[in-house]
Amino acid sequence: MLEDRSAAAPPSPWPAAYPQGYAVVDVETTGLARDDRIVSAAVYQLDARGEVEDQWYTLVNPQRDPGPVWIHGLTSEVLADAPLFKDIAEPFAERLAGRVLVAHNAAFDWSMISREYARARAEVPVRQRLCTIALSKELRLPLPNHKLESLAAHYGVVQQRAHHALDDARVLAEAFRPSLHLAAEAGVRLPLLACQPLTEWSDGPAAGTRSATIGYQPSSSYGYRPQTWRPSRKRPACPYPNPGRYEPGEQLIQGMRVAFSGDTSVDRELLEDRAVDAGLHVATSVSRLTSLLVTNDPGSPTSKTAKARSFGTPVVDEAAFMQLLLHVTPAQSRA
């Protein structure tokens, strides 16, 4: 006897508190520092249930060296005739307006976008963002790490061009949709965060870093290696004294010693460079002097996590750390 599917229970109602639309965003950049720029951007507009409504992509001339070409593939020659950010700010904003910005490690994408709009003397029409790393944790997805490729593999989404903004946005949109439906079915509260405009930015790189003019000097002039984003130079010592341990719920303070353990969605060396730019000391090991350990897998049996547990060192994940990096307290302002 065939099952009478017409008598099946209707699907559960969609949570009324959920947003009415999303803008899945990916940006490729020249790096992670305050002076770094966007070189390409993509947006997939989704409706309330995660269905695609539109897509958009643009190159952006960063007016400086494009940075890790071996990652995003965008050379000075390719970007020379691309529009400046101020010229694409309005069409970009139109695709974000009234929607929740969704990104993988959203704190990073939001910081880059917000600073570009600050430079353009314009406002980003976004009030909330959602990080798919945070959502994956809320759903307790069985992922080996928090990389986009792992989330995509979990849902069977095939990546075609990794680190191409449009394809990364497509992959994330396709992976976000089933996560959104899982959350709705389980009545999970979405991990939405407010988008506060950033005002700390620079028109050009700090002294001793990459050129402010696109194509002014090739990347090889700065000692970059194709295998890694970090310049082939020894980092100077952190100029600030260690203020002690990080207090959960508080802000990071310049001089704090930060260690990293395990896989990260952002390239480890890029993440470390971002920490150094913020005035933190990147430690290669964990000791009683370590202020904070950053790991996406605090239960892993690594020596760093074991030492952090034994010393009582505070531990945060990558997404939380990226959020903390947005507001690092200057060393001299500490009481």
Side-chain angles (χ1 to χ4, degrees):
M1 180 178 176
L2 295 176
E3 179 184 357
D4 182 8
R5 295 185 180 275
S6 63
S12 59
W14 199 257
Y18 276 27
Q20 294 303 301
Y22 304 89
V24 177
V25 173
D26 186 75
V27 296
E28 296 298 321
T29 68
T30 61
L32 291 173
R34 290 189 182 96
D35 63 285
D36 277 304
R37 307 296 301 272
I38 290 175
V39 294
S40 66
V43 180
Y44 265 73
Q45 291 180 311
L46 309 183
D47 66 14
R49 292 176 178 263
E51 298 298 327
V52 177
E53 296 180 315
D54 191 22
Q55 67 183 57
W56 177 81
Y57 171 74
T58 184
L59 296 175
V60 182
N61 186 333
Q63 298 181 286
R64 55 170 297 170
D65 188 277
V69 173
W70 51 92
I71 295 177
H72 53 59
L74 300 175
T75 64
S76 297
E77 292 73 22
V78 169
L79 297 171
D81 295 326
L84 304 180
F85 188 87
K86 65 182 180 65
D87 298 322
I88 60 95
E90 184 174 349
F92 195 1
E94 290 173 356
R95 287 156 177 87
L96 301 176
R99 298 172 183 267
V100 170
L101 185 151
V102 177
H104 202 65
N105 205 342
F108 171 71
D109 293 80
W110 167 248
S111 67
M112 297 303 299
I113 292 169
S114 184
R115 287 194 177 104
E116 288 287 11
Y117 272 93
R119 292 185 187 96
R121 305 294 193 272
E123 183 180 355
V124 196
V126 174
R127 296 296 172 262
Q128 290 182 306
R129 67 178 185 268
L130 187 157
C131 179
T132 47
I133 294 176
L135 180 57
S136 297
K137 291 180 179 180
E138 289 287 337
L139 296 173
R140 298 185 179 181
L141 298 182
L143 306 177
N145 53 53
H146 296 290
K147 295 181 179 180
L148 176 57
E149 60 204 56
S150 297
L151 180 62
H154 177 74
Y155 288 118
V157 180
V158 179
Q159 178 91 61
Q160 296 173 353
R161 296 182 64 186
H163 298 298
H164 184 283
L166 184 61
D167 196 54
D168 279 352
R170 174 193 63 81
V171 168
L172 187 57
E174 292 185 17
F176 172 63
R177 186 184 308 111
S179 287
L180 180 63
H181 282 258
L182 280 177
E185 292 167 6
V188 172
R189 184 177 180 180
L190 296 180
L192 301 175
L193 292 176
C195 287
Q196 300 295 334
L198 301 181
T199 57
E200 295 180 5
W201 53 274
S202 170
D203 280 321
T209 59
R210 298 177 298 282
S211 168
T213 304
I214 185 168
Y216 179 72
Q217 286 182 309
S219 297
S220 59
S221 298
Y222 293 91
Y224 297 143
R225 299 188 301 274
Q227 298 83 3
T228 177
W229 166 237
R230 182 182 298 177
S232 56
R233 57 177 171 78
K234 183 178 180 180
R235 286 197 181 106
C238 181
Y240 310 109
N242 185 355
R245 288 188 172 179
Y246 165 71
E247 294 293 334
E250 301 295 327
Q251 294 182 341
L252 294 172
I253 302 171
Q254 288 181 328
M256 283 186 168
R257 297 175 66 93
V258 179
F260 297 87
S261 178
D263 287 327
T264 53
S265 60
V266 173
D267 182 88
R268 170 71 70 81
E269 293 188 345
L270 283 170
L271 199 58
E272 291 179 356
D273 283 345
R274 183 70 176 86
V276 170
D277 288 339
L280 303 175
H281 175 112
V282 173
T284 57
S285 61
V286 173
S287 71
R288 296 184 186 278
L289 298 177
T290 304
S291 306
L292 181 69
L293 175 66
V294 180
T295 177
N296 289 321
D297 188 8
S300 64
T302 66
S303 61
K304 289 181 181 178
T305 54
K307 287 182 179 179
R309 285 192 293 269
S310 67
F311 296 144
T313 305
V315 177
V316 301
D317 62 25
E318 177 187 1
F321 181 67
M322 289 296 288
Q323 183 69 23
L324 289 170
L325 281 179
L326 301 179
H327 304 285
V328 177
T329 302
Q332 64 270 21
S333 69
R334 191 186 186 210

